[in-house]
Amino acid sequence: MTKTAALPRSTAITGLDRPLASLGGLLREWLPRQRWFAGKDRPVTDLSVLSLTELFPGCLHLLVHADHSPGGDGAPSGDCYQLLLGVREQRMPRLERAYIGRAEEGPLAGLAVYDALHDPHAAELLLERLRMPGTVGPLRFETAPGARIPGGLTPRLLAAEQSNSSLVYGDSLILKVFRRIQPGVNPDLEVPEALAAQGCARVPAPVAWFRTTEPSPATLGVLQPFLPDAADGWTLALRALAAGEDFATEAHELGRATADVHLALATAFPSAVRDEHGRTARAMSVRLEEAAHAVPALRPYVPGLRGAFDALARCDAGPRAQRIHGDLHLGQVLRADREWFVIDFEGEPSRPLAERRSIQSPVRDVAGMLRSFDYAARQRRPWRPEWALRCREAYCAGYAARAGWDPRKKHALLRAHETDRAVYEVVYEARHRPAWLPVPMAAIERLARWGG
Ligand SMILES: Nc1ncnc2c1ncn2[C@@H]1O[C@H](COP(=O)(O)OP(=O)(O)O)[C@@H](O)[C@H]1O
Ligand SMILES: O=P(O)(O)O[C@H]1O[C@H](CO)[C@@H](O[C@H]2O[C@H](CO)[C@@H](O)[C@H](O)[C@H]2O)[C@H](O)[C@H]1O
């Protein structure tokens, strides 16, 4: 029998219209240290609360804006983040990892403030809230038609926090709480919902979600079935490499799975009527310029890399642009019951939402996965290029068997997308994991030589 937590009513803490008086100092220091904070390479010049809701007693839901605009005439820049904060009178030893600090002034003065997602009690109440459609202030909790969501499941926060934070409930459900919020529908809700409607079994279908109406409509979190005993492709690939084993059979099936998802996406969403390689090539060149500005190590390679984009602009055929995954790599695929599943349809986290929801070449996803085989092969000393090459061949062959066209035959397209993806990775690593920068830089050197 399962027990369900009683959902307490939300009550008003007086004075919360001045939240920064209590929280500003704490958050300014804590926020930039979080794995999911996107602006680590720029100072936070201002912090403002865009919305604050008491979700249940002792748990505050906040959207905060971290401003990075330089003083003077610089263009405004910054990001909005979702926080769930627990406030307690006492500092709790078992929540020490989640401790943010003690509010010094304002309505929360003297209270201990936590990242509430680490608190099992708050996580239980969040699931209860999701099981019961309804509203709390600007927050809307919704369930998929016919969804049956069990209660009383034990929560655990996934240790490997990535771009977002995910809570697993009793190995049955997983709730992804988006951290960086952009106005509009998040593709990680929109796409799996549309694919589920197509009957595509490669993607876990959302069962509930929550969103806000303020300051603008935006998706905040998605609850999906958890695939127990699943292993992600990155872990499996590294395991194979460590054991000196081939990964070609798995890569072949992964190619088929990718094509299945692409075919379902092409049915669920409109596709392009004609190729726009010139426009894509220009956008890639702009991204290269921006990346070289942000990461000086890229600069010597710019002329060589541009060659790949010039060749794309001259290309007159290719698969039609359609909705794609947008950030496909080995960490986004799970193997369970001897099948591959695809997760995390958010796209590249640093891109604007409109761009992530736009139609793009399916070659982009293929290129993302090929880059990932290279990343994996470079984790071993000595480097195993032949391992990555075999994965590459097998993955493309598996893709071709299902999709009806072979990515290996689209040389110019594939090269341009691999280059663009490697440029993205250079910026990502420089920002989040500088020690990994040599991995995409090695690809940049190779791709620039090829194009120069
Ligand atoms: N449906 C699922 N079943 C099992 N594990 C999952 C599921 N969805 C996500 N995960 C696990 O959670 C991790 C983070 O999920 P992901 O959607 O990639 O989040 P992020 O956007 O933070 O990278 C994945 O690497 C995977 O290990
Ligand atoms: O957080 P997400 O999974 O949405 O994606 C971001 O982080 C990824 C790293 O966690 C990053 O992927 C890069 O590193 C992977 C190995 O850790 C490698 O398999 C990928 O090929 C490589 O791109 C991803 O780019 C980023 O968007």
Side-chain angles (χ1 to χ4, degrees), residues 240-246 373 377-378 380-390:
L241 272 159
E245 288 166 4
D246 207 45
F373 295 133
R378 284 182 189 274
R380 297 295 298 172
R381 292 280 175 279
W383 173 44
R384 301 275 314 275
E386 75 293 346
W387 182 94
L389 194 61
R390 274 198 304 277

Side-chain angles (χ1 to χ4, degrees), residues 158 162-164 174 176 204 225-227 331-332 334 343-344 346:
L158 278 192
Q162 301 182 306
S163 301
N164 301 288
I174 180 165
K176 177 156 157 181
F226 182 74
L227 302 167
Q332 313 283 41
L334 300 177
I343 57 165
D344 195 359
E346 263 202 287

Side-chain angles (χ1 to χ4, degrees), residues 35-36 156 158 160-168 171-179 188 203-205 224-233 235 325 327 329-334 336 341-347 349 428:
R35 165 76 168 84
W36 38 262
R156 69 183 159 92
L158 278 192
E161 287 199 40
Q162 301 182 306
S163 301
N164 301 288
S165 297
S166 293
L167 280 162
V168 176
D171 283 354
S172 308
L173 296 167
I174 180 165
L175 171 64
K176 177 156 157 181
V177 177
F178 298 118
R179 288 302 197 165
D188 208 12
V203 177
Q224 290 178 342
F226 182 74
L227 302 167
D229 306 321
D232 67 80
T235 306
H325 181 281
D327 187 19
H329 59 81
L330 282 163
Q332 313 283 41
V333 290
L334 300 177
F341 294 84
V342 182
I343 57 165
D344 195 359
F345 283 81
E346 263 202 287
Y428 179 87

Side-chain angles (χ1 to χ4, degrees), residues 62-356:
L62 278 89
L63 292 179
V64 297
H65 186 262
D67 201 289
H68 297 293
S69 311
D73 298 335
S77 72
D79 294 300
C80 168
Y81 295 94
Q82 173 173 213
L83 311 179
L84 280 105
L85 300 182
V87 283
R88 290 172 176 264
E89 297 213 339
Q90 301 301 327
R91 195 164 162 172
M92 305 280 287
R94 69 182 172 83
L95 293 179
E96 207 47 34
R97 272 193 54 220
Y99 183 62
I100 299 177
R102 210 172 265 285
E104 284 179 3
E105 49 183 319
L108 303 176
L111 296 179
V113 181
Y114 293 89
D115 180 351
L117 293 182
H118 287 258
D119 180 350
H121 183 60
E124 275 174 32
L125 293 175
L126 189 55
L127 178 63
E128 280 313 295
R129 188 63 269 178
L130 280 157
R131 293 178 67 221
M132 285 177 246
T135 65
V136 186
L139 308 180
R140 305 279 180 274
F141 292 82
E142 292 162 346
T143 49
R148 292 191 53 223
I149 305 170
L153 301 171
T154 306
R156 69 183 159 92
L157 186 65
L158 278 192
E161 287 199 40
Q162 301 182 306
S163 301
N164 301 288
S165 297
S166 293
L167 280 162
V168 176
Y169 289 96
D171 283 354
S172 308
L173 296 167
I174 180 165
L175 171 64
K176 177 156 157 181
V177 177
F178 298 118
R179 288 302 197 165
R180 190 158 157 255
I181 305 299
Q182 293 188 31
V185 181
N186 191 302
D188 208 12
L189 171 60
E190 178 190 34
V191 171
E193 235 190 334
L195 292 183
Q198 292 294 319
C200 174
R202 296 276 188 193
V203 177
V207 292
W209 50 89
F210 66 113
R211 58 190 178 89
T212 186
T213 54
E214 280 176 22
S216 320
T219 315
L220 299 175
V222 181
L223 186 71
Q224 290 178 342
F226 182 74
L227 302 167
D229 306 321
D232 67 80
W234 178 251
T235 306
L236 292 174
L238 292 194
R239 206 177 283 163
L241 272 159
E245 288 166 4
D246 207 45
F247 199 62
T249 307
E250 288 83 350
H252 190 272
E253 286 172 34
L254 194 49
R256 289 162 59 107
T258 307
D260 282 346
V261 171
H262 280 169
L263 292 171
L265 281 167
T267 311
F269 296 96
S271 300
V273 280
R274 59 194 161 86
D275 303 317
E276 300 223 16
H277 297 317
R279 212 166 87 176
T280 307
R282 279 194 298 281
M284 288 174 170
S285 296
V286 170
R287 287 199 285 265
L288 174 61
E289 299 300 329
E290 289 170 355
H293 182 72
V295 186
L298 260 181
R299 290 177 196 164
Y301 304 102
V302 169
L305 297 174
R306 245 190 236 125
F309 305 148
D310 294 344
L312 173 65
R314 292 192 298 270
C315 211
D316 55 8
R320 292 207 304 189
Q322 58 162 89
R323 287 297 291 268
I324 61 167
H325 181 281
D327 187 19
L328 196 63
H329 59 81
L330 282 163
Q332 313 283 41
V333 290
L334 300 177
R335 191 141 172 92
D337 298 332
R338 307 172 73 84
E339 289 290 351
W340 284 110
F341 294 84
V342 182
I343 57 165
D344 195 359
F345 283 81
E346 263 202 287
E348 289 170 358
S350 61
R351 305 270 196 242
L353 197 64
E355 187 183 321
R356 295 194 261 136

